[in-house]
Amino acid sequence: MYVCLLILDPRDKMQGFKRNSGRGGGTLYFGSDVTEAFLARNNLQLLIRSHEVAMQGYQVLHNNTCITVFSAPN
């Protein structure tokens, strides 16, 4: 199974996938096990993503292996 993690939202303290009913459109949350498997399968060390609001401008999750960067005007 192939999943585009860039359109999904990472969450700490969960495993696997879970429906993200707050966003609609069939989006999902994903846990640290999903990040770990994706990085291992693709021989990567870090997943950097955007698309989700991060109030501090960025958010680091999943044992420092998944970083969300948020940029917007103002």
Side-chain angles (χ1 to χ4, degrees), residues 16-70:
F17 294 98
K18 180 180 177 186
R19 184 175 169 86
N20 180 349
S21 58
R23 248 203 200 188
T27 60
L28 300 170
Y29 292 126
F30 65 96
S32 59
D33 61 326
V34 175
T35 298
E36 184 180 318
F38 176 82
L39 295 175
R41 179 175 293 152
N42 292 285
N43 197 28
L44 300 171
Q45 296 178 349
L46 182 64
L47 172 64
I48 302 173
R49 58 180 297 279
S50 63
H51 185 69
E52 182 183 13
V53 174
M55 296 309 289
Q56 299 285 347
Y58 68 96
Q59 183 179 38
V60 181
L61 296 171
H62 301 169
N63 299 316
N64 298 321
T65 61
C66 180
I67 300 174
T68 298
V69 178
F70 179 64

